[in-house]
Amino acid sequence: MEMKRNPTNLLLWLMFLSDTVPFTYEKSMREQAIKLMQDTRLIDGHNDFVLRLRIFYQNRLSKVNLREINKTHTNLAKLEAGYVGAQFWSVYVLCSAQNKDAVRLTLEQIDIVKRMCNSYEELELVTTSQGISDSKKIACLIGIEGGHSIDSSLATLRMYYDLGVRYMTLTHSCNTPWSESSSKGIHNFYPSVTGLTAFGQEVVKEMNRLGMLIDLSHTSYSTAKAALHISKAPVIFSHSAAFSVCNHSRNVPDDILQQLKRNRGIIMVTFNADVLACGRKVVNISTLADHFDYIKKIAGPESIGIGGDYDGVERFPEGLEDVSKYPSLIEELLRRGWNEIELKAVLRENFLRVFKEVEKKQRSQGSISKIKESEKEWTELCGFSSLHSNLINTHR
Amino acid sequence: MQASAPHIRARCAAVGVSLPSHPRMRSWGWICSTWLLAAPAAPRCRSLPAATGRIHPTVGDGARAGQCLSFPPQQQQHRWPCCPTAAPPALGVGQPGHGAAGRAGARPPPSTKAGAGSGVAGARSSPARRHTSRKTYCTAATGSSHPSVPGTADTGLIPEQPAAPIPTRGEDRMLRWSVLVLCLLLPCSAQQHLEEAKRIMATTPVIDGHNDLPWQLLKRFNNQLGLPEANLTQLTGTHTNIPKLNTGHVGGQFWSAYVPCETQNKDAVKRTLEQIDVVHRMCELYPETFACVVNSTGIEEAFRNKKVASLIGVEGGHSIDSSLGVLRTFYHLGVRYMTLTHSCNTPWADNWLVDTAEESPVHHGLSSFGKTVVEEMNRLGMMVDLAHVSVDTMKMVLNISKAPVIFSHSSAYSLCPHRRNVPDDVLRMVASKEGLVMVNFYNQYVTCSDKANLSNVADHMDHVKKVAGFQSVGFGGDYDGVTGVPTGLEDVSTYPALVAELLRRNWTEQEVKAALADNLLRVFRKVEEVKMSLQGTAPHEEPIAFKELAGACRTSYGYSDTSGAGPAPLLPAALLLALPLLSTLLS
């Protein structure tokens, strides 16, 4: 009643509220994002930190403190600040090693991931969806980036699986003898290969049988179509974005997004500024969030995850400079009206769903056999969790 | 008699005496031969033609083929196969010494498709490598401090036996008929030994150190285990299949993940992964037979479950391509020994050929990186295998290894001076370090010729036992990795016969069990203990210097210093010269 009689007071109240409510709103958005991520820590699909360890330190862990290293996007402190609960470490080796020593180099990268996980109590190497769920640490998983790492050998693929590799990107920026990359003109390997050859189809089938996730980032349109057609299990794009938002060859066109939805796979949206902004100068969190919005519209929130590609590329959106910044993305998505269920799905649940389905497909194929190994022995080597069940369910 | 009988048996074996295939006849044969050797009639050795069906030895006139004949004086000089100093006397077929005539000269190396008897498709490595330069092996051996037989000089000649009084033809015939009747009537102790061997092996089966079935699977089927002809329950043409393993009481087997030396600096790593994979798939496809295990308790459990404990040994350091990371991942994949070299040097270790005139030493054992490899193997708990390495490498490893080491498939140099074998001083080192020599059955390493028999192999086991103790003896047949295996040991079903022979030679049950399995289990446990004691030690991560590597099939990726590198990929000179021109044109 008094308000009606005093317009000045009313005006003052309105001015006050217009300042504080947005601030309060922002603060609560941030808090909400952090609270959300505390409860639902992120599973990130792709990080090239291990490549940096080779380049800077020749894989000599004794020369570096992973908690504090500051010349990379990634260190353990930043991962914790970013509420990263699980990380796929890419064991990428250069395409120029194809037909040379790619296998050896890949094994060395796998080795350093295992040594890294064994050396730091913050880290824990896992190989199953249950392992991710159970882990109270930063769960480490291994992804191979580029089919050239298997040197066209299904046995090598199987051995990588035994070593803990849980996805393989079918190509990097070069064709393999059996699969086509989206990159043209960077390398000159096998230029006549299109999509997946017959052997490439065998690779996909063997990955299904093993329970290894098929990653279609970096692959050509034909390769992605073929893999989605053949795969009996959901597939992933570990670090890609939407072609319709930015028509970069690394990104995923709408029809494949729709096929991905039917496949019940996910696209883990990448933060690489070059593939987000198509040359625009300003690249920020909003640029990235546009991709999330678009993919949600085409393929649904159940088809989305996060794959930062930190330490794999140079340019990142403003506000997302390193692995501690993930909450800023979640905050932006909250602001755009994403609800908590959708965000939990993006952060973690979608990936776990895909991984579980892939594991289920693995168990439903092939014969069961047990390789008798001491769980304790493996555990002491590298902090495996759920390893025993993994070994029992290992199929070839 | 006992003192001379082994020696005479050795001579019999040296001239290619073989036993009848029927086990009952064979056991009678041993009794008879033992009795006859003690008889005033000088002992004779023969190979029994398969068609005659005669008992070995036969009675009848001793001069005919098929009998165990005494050696005429000029035939008592048998050259040890490696060291011909003069041409042997001409000998006829079926006469004693026939084998010696074959061995003494520079016989051409056998074909890779020998396949005689066993039908095996061929030794995996170039037999030329193994068999040429036999003289040079012996040139190296001659003058060494390792006499091949006690009392012999480096000429390799065995001492002449004093001539025994020769009975008349009639007395001799009567004697042999009497013996034949007795042999037919008396119970056969050889059969008892075989039964005893099987009884022991029922609870203590053999753990064999080296079998190349995976290589055969690659060569014959390109590792396609699903092919009907690759069915291991019916596989023919190999020393190994599942029924034979069962008959042979094989309870543990190190399957060799071997790739040839020609893969070095090329795709050795990938090819080795493929061989490791085929062993894994063997275990998967035949779970009722094979149990892939990775530790000593796993072997024991497999014994209880009556399965073949299946482990993996990588044969040749070239498989790791000088990468400690690769070594570690091999360990993670279940590899539990690595033979440091095959028949080629690695950038960090010398192989056995440097002890011959064929190659010169490069590292005189191990390089600094090679020592790091051994240390890392100790830390991981991977057994170090010294088969195929040079003597310097053997000694260096025995000195530096914190854990006991093995020879997965090597025999005794003293009995057959082949550089794949272990000299006596190294045997003594093995004993002091509580290691293990798993005796190889390959004829060329057993008698240094292309013929041998079960008794010859037993001689090697006796010798290792004598020099290094029974705790240092094991079985490392090398089945399916070689073409010529001894008569009586034609395939993996024959281990009980060898054990029976050891029992006949008065090995105790404890000693036999030690050789069968207990010694290997002891070594393996000790290696695991050393691993536990080194827990917390950081993995070795200093890479090999790039300049120590060769081959164009590698990148220098990750190396900041590739100076002094060998054939690393470089820009063609023409392009280098053209660059200034290009920049001028563009400016």
Side-chain angles (χ1 to χ4, degrees):
Chain A
M1 300 286 280
E2 280 190 22
M3 294 283 222
K4 281 184 182 175
R5 287 201 296 268
N6 195 341
T8 310
N9 279 347
L10 179 59
L11 196 58
L12 283 169
W13 271 110
L14 281 171
M15 285 172 65
F16 174 69
L17 284 170
S18 70
D19 278 338
T20 58
V21 167
F23 176 72
T24 308
Y25 180 73
E26 291 287 341
K27 189 164 175 253
S28 74
M29 280 281 158
R30 182 79 184 170
E31 283 172 357
Q32 194 180 351
I34 288 174
K35 177 84 175 41
L36 191 61
M37 292 193 76
Q38 280 172 341
D39 293 337
T40 313
R41 289 186 302 151
L42 167 67
I43 301 174
D44 182 273
H46 193 87
N47 183 304
D48 278 296
F49 178 60
V50 171
L51 172 65
R52 300 292 156 197
L53 292 180
R54 178 183 282 275
I55 292 171
F56 294 140
Y57 304 107
Q58 217 172 345
N59 286 356
R60 285 179 278 207
L61 285 180
S62 57
K63 305 288 185 195
V64 57
N65 183 334
L66 297 193
R67 295 187 175 99
E68 296 163 1
I69 173 176
N70 60 9
K71 52 183 169 180
T72 50
H73 302 134
T74 313
N75 66 31
L76 299 189
K78 288 178 192 171
L79 283 170
E80 288 186 332
Y83 299 99
V84 176
Q87 179 67 65
F88 269 92
W89 300 109
S90 169
V91 291
Y92 165 72
V93 303
L94 293 176
C95 270
S96 52
Q98 177 158 224
N99 299 332
K100 290 188 177 176
D101 51 358
V103 175
R104 173 183 67 87
L105 293 168
T106 307
L107 289 179
E108 289 176 343
Q109 295 309 96
I110 293 171
D111 170 64
I112 194 175
V113 172
K114 288 174 176 284
R115 288 195 283 125
M116 197 169 90
C117 299
N118 204 34
S119 305
Y120 288 85
E121 59 186 14
E122 295 91 328
L123 301 176
E124 181 179 24
L125 191 66
V126 306
T127 55
T128 61
S129 58
Q130 193 62 49
I132 298 175
S133 300
D134 292 345
S135 177
K136 302 281 182 287
K137 306 185 180 188
I138 301 173
C140 304
L141 299 105
I142 305 174
I144 284 178
E145 191 179 14
H148 58 288
S149 282
I150 67 167
D151 199 8
S152 303
S153 164
L154 293 177
T156 303
L157 175 73
R158 287 189 285 268
M159 293 298 96
Y160 287 154
Y161 183 88
D162 277 358
L163 289 168
V165 172
R166 285 301 175 266
Y167 78 60
M168 181 169 77
T169 320
L170 297 187
T171 68
H172 191 253
S173 53
C174 54
N175 290 358
T176 68
W178 44 270
S179 59
E180 184 190 12
S181 165
S182 63
S183 301
K184 305 297 176 195
I186 300 178
H187 297 279
N188 198 32
F189 292 106
Y190 308 103
S192 60
V193 169
T194 55
L196 287 176
T197 66
F199 185 76
Q201 294 173 28
E202 291 303 310
V203 172
V204 167
K205 288 176 191 166
E206 187 67 357
M207 291 175 75
N208 279 165
R209 197 186 67 83
L210 287 169
M212 192 187 287
L213 293 147
I214 294 159
D215 176 22
L216 300 178
S217 289
H218 284 283
T219 61
S220 71
Y221 179 82
S222 306
T223 305
K225 290 287 278 185
L228 277 160
H229 181 68
I230 296 165
S231 176
K232 292 187 166 49
V235 305
I236 68 171
F237 287 79
S238 63
H239 56 302
S240 295
F243 187 84
S244 289
V245 179
C246 166
N247 59 350
H248 192 287
S249 62
R250 278 275 285 110
N251 288 337
V252 187
D254 287 3
D255 61 331
I256 294 194
L257 284 175
Q258 283 155 351
Q259 204 172 345
L260 188 68
K261 179 186 170 77
R262 290 192 294 276
N263 168 261
R264 290 174 51 80
I266 60 168
I267 169 169
M268 305 177 91
V269 182
T270 192
F271 297 7
N272 175 358
D274 291 335
V275 311
L276 291 177
C278 277
R280 272 177 283 148
K281 282 221 173 92
V282 174
V283 187
N284 54 27
I285 301 175
S286 182
T287 320
L288 173 62
D290 288 344
H291 283 264
F292 277 84
D293 276 340
Y294 186 82
I295 296 169
K296 178 178 163 188
K297 189 174 74 179
I298 301 295
E302 69 275 16
S303 305
I304 307 176
I306 294 175
D309 204 7
Y310 283 108
D311 283 311
V313 293
E314 295 304 323
R315 280 186 68 217
F316 285 85
E318 287 167 29
L320 293 171
E321 289 81 5
D322 61 46
V323 299
S324 68
K325 310 290 188 199
Y326 289 105
S328 303
L329 168 65
I330 301 303
E331 186 187 343
E332 173 65 16
L333 294 178
L334 279 167
R335 194 175 297 116
R336 290 178 178 219
W338 289 60
N339 63 47
E340 288 203 358
I341 294 173
E342 290 168 339
L343 288 172
K344 284 185 177 186
V346 165
L347 282 168
R348 191 174 182 86
E349 304 302 330
N350 288 339
F351 179 80
L352 286 175
R353 179 198 76 236
V354 169
F355 201 1
K356 281 188 187 116
E357 281 199 37
V358 166
E359 289 167 338
K360 212 189 311 178
K361 277 284 178 292
Q362 166 217 33
R363 281 192 290 275
S364 71
Q365 299 178 49
S367 57
I368 296 176
S369 77
K370 297 184 183 189
I371 292 187
K372 292 297 224 175
E373 302 195 35
S374 160
E375 181 179 1
K376 179 175 179 301
E377 181 176 6
W378 283 89
T379 305
E380 80 200 18
L381 274 177
C382 215
F384 270 72
S385 70
S386 309
L387 182 64
H388 186 63
S389 61
N390 175 56
L391 288 174
I392 286 174
N393 290 327
T394 298
H395 308 291
R396 307 288 181 277
Chain B
M1 181 181 84
Q2 285 302 320
S4 63
H7 185 64
I8 292 162
R9 273 200 295 281
R11 281 201 292 165
C12 291
V15 295
V17 173
S18 63
L19 297 173
S21 56
H22 195 289
R24 199 163 179 79
M25 289 191 154
R26 194 184 310 144
S27 52
W28 284 339
W30 277 118
I31 299 173
C32 298
S33 65
T34 307
W35 193 93
L36 286 172
L37 287 169
R44 281 140 190 185
C45 306
R46 63 170 177 83
S47 58
L48 179 70
T52 65
R54 284 177 164 176
I55 297 168
H56 171 76
T58 53
V59 297
D61 64 287
R64 282 201 282 271
Q67 293 184 350
C68 195
L69 303 172
S70 61
F71 301 125
Q74 70 274 21
Q75 288 173 333
Q76 284 178 336
Q77 280 192 359
H78 294 288
R79 305 191 181 287
W80 284 105
C82 279
C83 305
T85 53
L91 296 164
V93 173
Q95 295 295 315
H98 168 62
R103 285 191 305 277
R107 172 185 274 185
S111 150
T112 53
K113 304 294 181 190
S118 64
V120 174
R124 55 165 186 263
S125 63
S126 164
R129 217 164 208 354
R130 285 195 173 129
H131 302 302
T132 54
S133 311
R134 207 176 293 117
K135 286 184 191 171
T136 55
Y137 305 157
C138 302
T139 305
T142 302
S144 75
S145 57
H146 314 298
S148 47
V149 172
T152 65
D154 289 337
T155 54
L157 300 178
I158 60 171
E160 290 188 23
Q161 298 301 307
I166 299 174
T168 63
R169 199 173 264 276
E171 286 170 349
D172 188 63
R173 193 177 298 164
M174 178 74 82
L175 195 61
R176 291 174 193 283
W177 274 110
S178 307
V179 165
L180 173 62
V181 169
L182 278 171
C183 286
L184 286 168
L185 294 175
L186 287 171
C188 184
S189 70
Q191 183 64 23
Q192 285 177 333
H193 286 133
L194 185 60
E195 298 302 328
E196 179 70 358
K198 289 177 183 171
R199 181 192 68 75
I200 293 171
M201 294 182 80
T203 52
T204 309
V206 63
I207 303 174
D208 183 274
H210 193 87
N211 183 303
D212 275 295
L213 180 64
W215 175 249
Q216 296 297 329
L217 296 175
L218 173 63
K219 283 202 318 171
R220 290 151 66 94
F221 311 117
N222 208 6
N223 285 349
Q224 295 176 82
L225 296 183
L227 294 174
E229 55 268 35
N231 186 335
L232 296 187
T233 61
Q234 301 158 359
L235 186 63
T236 57
T238 53
H239 297 139
T240 315
N241 65 26
I242 288 176
K244 290 177 190 171
L245 287 167
N246 290 335
T247 306
H249 292 272
V250 178
Q253 181 66 66
F254 279 88
W255 302 106
S256 173
Y258 161 78
V259 299
C261 277
E262 66 187 285
T263 64
Q264 178 155 222
N265 299 323
K266 292 182 182 171
D267 59 352
V269 176
K270 180 187 80 163
R271 302 313 301 259
T272 307
L273 288 179
E274 291 174 340
Q275 295 313 100
I276 295 171
D277 170 70
V278 82
V279 176
H280 286 190
R281 288 192 287 120
M282 257 170 58
C283 290
E284 287 207 356
L285 274 175
Y286 302 95
E288 66 285 348
T289 301
F290 301 118
C292 272
V293 302
V294 293
N295 51 32
S296 55
T297 50
I299 297 176
E300 286 160 345
E301 187 175 350
F303 279 11
R304 285 192 293 274
N305 295 333
K306 305 289 182 211
K307 299 204 181 170
V308 179
S310 294
L311 302 102
I312 302 172
V314 163
E315 191 180 12
H318 58 286
S319 283
I320 65 167
D321 200 11
S322 301
S323 167
L324 297 171
V326 172
L327 177 71
R328 285 187 284 268
T329 55
F330 282 176
Y331 182 85
H332 287 310
L333 290 170
V335 172
R336 287 299 177 268
Y337 78 61
M338 183 170 76
T339 321
L340 296 188
T341 69
H342 193 253
S343 302
C344 54
N345 290 347
T346 66
W348 42 270
D350 281 354
N351 82 103
W352 65 281
L353 285 166
V354 308
D355 290 330
T356 72
E358 275 202 38
E359 289 183 17
S360 300
V362 173
H363 311 289
H364 300 276
L366 298 171
S367 71
S368 166
F369 185 77
K371 291 176 190 165
T372 304
V373 170
V374 170
E375 285 173 21
E376 188 66 1
M377 291 175 75
N378 284 166
R379 192 193 70 83
L380 286 168
M382 190 188 290
M383 285 181 277
V384 180
D385 175 24
L386 300 179
H388 282 276
V389 306
S390 70
V391 174
D392 278 349
T393 308
M394 291 176 196
K395 291 179 175 174
M396 198 175 283
V397 172
L398 280 158
N399 280 326
I400 67 170
S401 174
K402 295 182 180 67
V405 305
I406 66 170
F407 287 76
S408 65
H409 56 304
S410 296
S411 299
Y413 185 86
S414 281
L415 300 190
C416 164
H418 193 293
R419 281 304 181 184
R420 271 282 284 109
N421 286 339
V422 189
D424 282 1
D425 60 340
V426 176
L427 284 178
R428 284 185 280 272
M429 289 177 78
V430 170
S432 71
K433 299 288 181 156
E434 298 180 88
L436 180 59
V437 174
M438 306 178 92
V439 170
N440 191 318
F441 299 177
Y442 180 40
N443 292 347
Q444 293 286 349
Y445 302 157
V446 170
T447 58
C448 284
S449 77
D450 56 5
K451 282 190 171 49
N453 63 28
L454 182 149
S455 177
N456 301 138
V457 177
D459 291 343
H460 280 264
M461 300 186 81
D462 267 341
H463 184 82
V464 175
K465 178 179 162 210
K466 186 177 82 177
V467 175
F470 74 90
Q471 303 93 329
S472 303
V473 188
F475 293 74
D478 208 2
Y479 282 113
D480 283 314
V482 295
T483 46
V485 287
T487 314
L489 291 172
E490 288 82 1
D491 59 46
V492 299
S493 69
T494 60
Y495 290 101
L498 179 53
V499 173
E501 174 60 12
L502 298 180
L503 290 167
R504 203 190 64 74
R505 293 172 181 221
N506 294 324
W507 283 52
T508 66
E509 183 168 330
Q510 182 202 9
E511 291 170 341
V512 159
K513 284 181 171 179
L516 282 168
D518 294 343
N519 289 339
L520 185 281
L521 286 169
R522 180 199 77 238
V523 168
F524 204 177
R525 281 187 209 110
K526 187 69 183 158
V527 165
E528 290 163 350
E529 277 172 29
V530 168
K531 170 195 168 81
M532 293 305 295
S533 74
L534 295 171
Q535 208 173 4
T537 314
H540 285 277
E541 52 182 16
E542 191 65 33
I544 192 170
F546 194 77
K547 65 178 188 284
E548 293 177 28
L549 299 169
C553 299
R554 68 176 65 252
T555 57
S556 58
Y557 181 30
Y559 281 94
S560 51
D561 177 16
T562 57
S563 58
L570 298 170
L571 284 175
L575 185 55
L576 279 170
L577 290 172
L579 280 174
L581 177 61
L582 274 171
S583 67
T584 309
L585 288 171
L586 291 168
S587 62

